[in-house]
Amino acid sequence: MEDLGTPVLDNHLHLDPAHGRGLDAVRDFARLGGTHLLVVNKPSWLLGVEPETGEDFRPVFETTIDVVEEATELLPGRAWPVLGVHPGLVSKLVDDRGFSPADASALMQAGLDCAAEYVAGGDALALKSGRPHYDVSDAVWEASNEVMRHAFSLGAEHGCAVQLHTEATDDLTEVAGWAEARGLSAHKVVKHYAGGTLAGPTPSVMSEKDRLEVAAESGEPFLMETDFVDDPDRPGMVLGPKTVPRRVRWLLESGYDAAVERAHVETPADVYGIDTRAALSR
Ligand SMILES: [Zn+2]
């Protein structure tokens, strides 16, 4: 196993041992010097779950908690689960299952309530919410914003971060304001799939060189991710599990040591309250 001399955290990826590469992806990550993972549950519909109540999300969450436990065994550091409801579910409910936007919003909020129980019990680190990245009706947009605001209330209640899936943008100050109004600090809101800079929440930067260079030069807090989906049907969709350790090596070789410290030690501590160094010497 390679040692890059620093913790190396992929802030957002998925693991699907039943259909994808599962723990082999974790082995690849660790071999290249990766140490820590935040594993986000897959969208419920990709696991064949058609929820009627918040409780119906439980098997989706338990699958992630189980694989995180196994992944931790393979890592020098550890993995943590991030649990929530994918914002694309609103369209499945409204377009395919005849839900009203309001009923879809209520079910998605109930799913988040269920996810928050795992955070409260210490079995998950953070919540995941957001809104569609594609065009939707005003009613669906507003229903999605309601879901996201509920996630912020839960984050404030449980003192945890909320990862967001949103439209591509470098300004989410309005959304960060909604979090602050509910008692959740803007820096504990994380936009996944982000570019190199972001106004409002903390960016979780897709680990492409050009985006990382912008983040490194910015001097601002950021995280690094791949959004590896671990889906054999979508092989070219995203970056692979080796990408974050490879890019950390490249950042170090390019003299961006402070940026590496920011993305893999300081920002994880500020956003999630995790100590990636301590977790290395457990
Ligand atoms: Zn994802």
Side-chain angles (χ1 to χ4, degrees):
M1 281 216 256
E2 209 156 330
D3 183 356
L4 296 170
T6 170
V8 174
L9 168 73
D10 188 330
N11 181 63
H12 181 116
L13 90 171
H14 307 270
L15 294 172
D16 189 345
H19 310 100
R21 299 192 55 222
L23 296 171
D24 278 342
V26 179
R27 288 186 188 94
D28 277 356
F29 173 75
R31 200 172 54 246
L32 277 278
T35 61
H36 298 79
L37 295 172
L38 294 199
V39 183
V40 183
N41 63 268
K42 286 188 102 168
S44 47
W45 65 89
L46 289 180
L47 297 178
V49 171
E50 293 222 336
E52 307 279 347
T53 68
E55 286 296 304
D56 293 343
F57 287 90
R58 228 174 256 287
V60 177
F61 301 150
E62 304 269 354
T63 300
T64 301
I65 290 168
D66 289 348
V67 75
V68 159
E69 212 163 283
E70 294 177 273
T72 291
E73 293 302 315
L74 301 173
L75 291 168
R78 59 164 296 182
W80 290 274
V82 175
L83 304 180
V85 177
H86 195 284
L89 181 61
V90 71
S91 300
K92 305 270 171 200
L93 294 173
V94 171
D95 298 345
D96 303 346
R97 291 175 60 196
F99 278 61
S100 69
D103 287 346
S105 172
L107 174 57
M108 292 169 74
Q109 292 185 41
L112 284 166
D113 289 340
C114 182
E117 287 180 27
Y118 292 96
V119 174
D123 293 316
L125 182 66
L127 295 170
K128 163 82 193 299
S129 184
R131 62 188 180 190
H133 62 270
Y134 45 87
D135 277 337
V136 293
S137 70
D138 289 349
V140 166
W141 185 249
E142 193 36 51
S144 300
N145 282 330
E146 280 301 330
V147 174
M148 185 163 51
R149 287 191 283 257
H150 183 65
F152 295 151
S153 296
L154 291 170
E157 182 183 342
H158 298 289
C160 73
V162 177
Q163 283 198 12
L164 297 181
H165 169 111
T166 71
E167 72 279 15
T169 176
D170 58 7
D171 187 353
L172 284 176
T173 45
E174 184 189 21
V175 168
W178 295 342
E180 297 260 346
R182 282 156 186 79
L184 182 68
S185 299
H187 76 275
K188 289 179 85 76
V189 178
V190 177
K191 175 180 165 37
H192 117 82
Y193 219 105
T197 57
L198 179 65
T202 300
S204 178
V205 179
M206 274 296 273
S207 295
E208 294 157 349
K209 285 184 177 178
D210 49 348
R211 297 189 192 210
L212 291 175
E213 223 154 25
V214 171
E217 293 283 350
S218 75
E220 298 289 330
F222 73 103
L223 296 154
M224 287 171 61
E225 70 165 68
T226 53
D227 195 21
F228 175 62
V229 290
D230 202 12
D231 188 336
D233 297 332
R234 298 188 295 166
M237 274 287 289
V238 283
L239 304 174
K242 298 175 188 169
T243 310
V244 170
R246 277 185 178 148
R247 293 292 184 261
V248 166
R249 166 179 283 276
W250 168 75
L251 284 167
L252 292 171
E253 286 167 357
S254 309
Y256 289 120
D257 303 60
V260 169
E261 180 78 3
R262 216 152 71 231
H264 299 276
V265 179
E266 294 165 10
T267 307
D270 286 347
V271 171
Y272 302 109
I274 57 178
D275 185 340
T276 51
R277 272 201 213 290
L280 271 185
S281 51
R282 77 199 153 94

